[in-house]
């Protein structure tokens, strides 16, 4: 969605200022992201140091979106009932040890008919207290990023790979990811978005079942599941707060995501 002249352009300038990026106007539409060829199915990579540029082995880039994820399935015709059933299941989940230390589960928030899904890693301390993903400074930056895309927070759905906070904000373990990822697969199935924006290394590696670094995953168009949902990877807002020099790259990712969404909407 492009900004309208006048007020819309001024608002976008404000959002880019919040990102710490000087406003500039492209003379032409951003070039489409090159599609990444899929590889053989591979499990999620083990969690490593919390940096999106971690040197890890490359792997496949298509999410298998496995069938038979073992979740309770409600009638697809009853969309709201399906969401409620899934949220109830998540709130009582005891599949891994994180249930012992959480304050509450963080199911996700936003428009349950959204055409854009944002996927992060796991709740932090404030998210665990409030029961909502991406609050605090990282959440404020994510809000600015979404508005710069033309998709304000209230128009998208936001979820994490994990629904419970790892103690001390440590990286999720592979076993925790394996236990919780089916919930996200089910959310994607219910939402059926046109675009998935994945922020951060662990979220990207987990959802795409790869060990490839964020630096290599970004800049390419990925596809999720049998429906081939467009998927774009960018840096986590918390990383951008620590490494503001990469905000321009993130802005390029957001422009590419916006272009992919426009293409998907035009083809609908």
């Amino acid at each position: 969605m492009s900004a309208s002249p006048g007020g819309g352009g001024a608002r976008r300038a404000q959002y880019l200022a919040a990102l710490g990026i000087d406003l500039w106007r492209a003379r032409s539409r951003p070039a489409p992201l090159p599609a990444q060829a899929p590889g053989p199915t591979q499990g999620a990579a083990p969690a490593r140091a919390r940096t999106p540029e971690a040197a890890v082995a490359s792997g496949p880039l298509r999410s298998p979106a496995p069938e038979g994820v073992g979740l309770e399935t409600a009638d697809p015709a009853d969309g709201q009932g399906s969401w409620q059933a899934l949220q109830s299941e998540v709130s009582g989940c005891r599949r891994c040890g994180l249930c012992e230390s959480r304050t509450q589960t963080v199911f996700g928030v936003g428009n349950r008919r959204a055409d854009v899904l944002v996927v992060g890693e796991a709740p932090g301390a404030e998210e665990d207290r409030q029961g909502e993903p991406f609050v605090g400074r990282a959440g404020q930056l994510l809000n600015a990023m979404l508005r710069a895309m033309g998709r304000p927070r209230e128009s998208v759905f936001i979820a994490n790979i994990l629904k419970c906070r790892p103690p001390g904000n440590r990286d999720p373990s592979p076993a925790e990811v394996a236990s919780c990822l089916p919930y996200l697969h089910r959310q994607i199935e219910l939402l059926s978005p046109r675009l998935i924006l994945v922020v951060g290394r662990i979220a990207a590696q987990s959802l795409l079942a790869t060990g490839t670094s964020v630096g290599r995953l970004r800049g390419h168009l990925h596809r999720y599941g049998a429906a081939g949902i467009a998927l774009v990877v960018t840096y986590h807002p918390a990383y951008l707060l620590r490494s503001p020099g990469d905000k321009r790259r993130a802005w390029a990712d957001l422009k590419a995501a916006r272009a992919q969404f426009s293409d998907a909407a035009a083809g609908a």
Side-chain angles (χ1 to χ4, degrees):
M1 178 183 294
S2 59
S4 59
R11 284 194 298 271
R12 177 153 297 152
Q14 292 175 355
Y15 304 146
L16 295 181
L19 285 170
I21 298 173
D22 294 331
L23 178 65
W24 59 276
R25 299 185 182 277
R27 295 182 180 274
S28 60
R29 190 170 182 268
L33 290 174
Q36 184 70 48
T41 302
Q42 174 180 320
R48 289 183 172 85
R50 190 182 293 264
T51 167
E53 293 294 347
V56 291
S58 61
L61 303 180
R62 180 185 289 273
S63 170
E67 298 180 1
V69 292
L71 295 183
E72 198 176 293
T73 304
D75 183 355
D78 181 17
Q80 189 61 29
S82 299
W83 278 104
Q84 291 172 351
L86 180 59
Q87 186 165 6
S88 176
E89 186 173 354
V90 168
S91 66
C93 180
R94 301 188 65 81
R95 292 186 175 193
C96 73
L98 294 181
C99 66
E100 303 296 339
S101 58
R102 72 190 180 206
T103 300
Q104 59 186 314
T105 57
V106 181
F107 179 74
V109 69
N111 184 350
R112 293 183 178 180
R113 295 189 177 182
D115 41 26
V116 176
L117 169 66
V118 180
V119 178
E121 175 187 322
E126 194 58 36
E127 288 80 4
D128 180 58
R129 283 191 288 270
Q130 296 188 29
E132 181 174 332
F134 284 97
V135 296
R137 291 183 66 217
Q140 291 170 8
L141 181 53
L142 177 64
N143 293 346
M145 294 167 69
L146 292 173
R147 290 185 183 278
M149 271 182 65
R151 283 291 181 273
R153 183 182 180 102
E154 60 271 16
S155 73
V156 307
F157 193 84
I158 304 174
N160 284 316
I161 296 293
L162 293 192
K163 309 306 185 190
C164 298
R165 178 200 179 201
N169 291 346
R170 61 163 173 77
D171 288 347
S173 72
E176 291 162 353
V177 170
S179 295
C180 211
L181 193 56
Y183 291 130
L184 180 61
H185 286 309
R186 180 67 176 134
Q187 287 177 309
I188 296 173
E189 180 185 346
L190 289 171
L191 192 65
S192 190
R194 288 180 176 154
L195 174 72
I196 302 175
L197 178 67
V198 183
V199 297
R201 175 180 65 86
I202 291 176
Q205 291 177 346
S206 299
L207 193 56
L208 291 171
T210 183
T212 306
S213 68
V214 166
R216 293 183 179 181
L217 289 174
R218 60 166 301 275
H220 297 279
L221 175 64
H222 308 280
R223 295 289 179 180
Y224 170 88
I229 300 170
L231 187 151
V232 174
V233 174
T234 192
Y235 299 110
H236 195 286
Y239 167 80
L240 293 174
L241 290 172
R242 300 191 304 269
S243 304
D246 278 327
K247 285 184 177 180
R248 283 196 177 276
R249 293 182 180 179
W251 174 229
D253 297 334
L254 299 181
K255 289 193 296 180
R258 186 176 60 196
Q260 293 298 332
F261 173 81
S262 299
D263 290 344

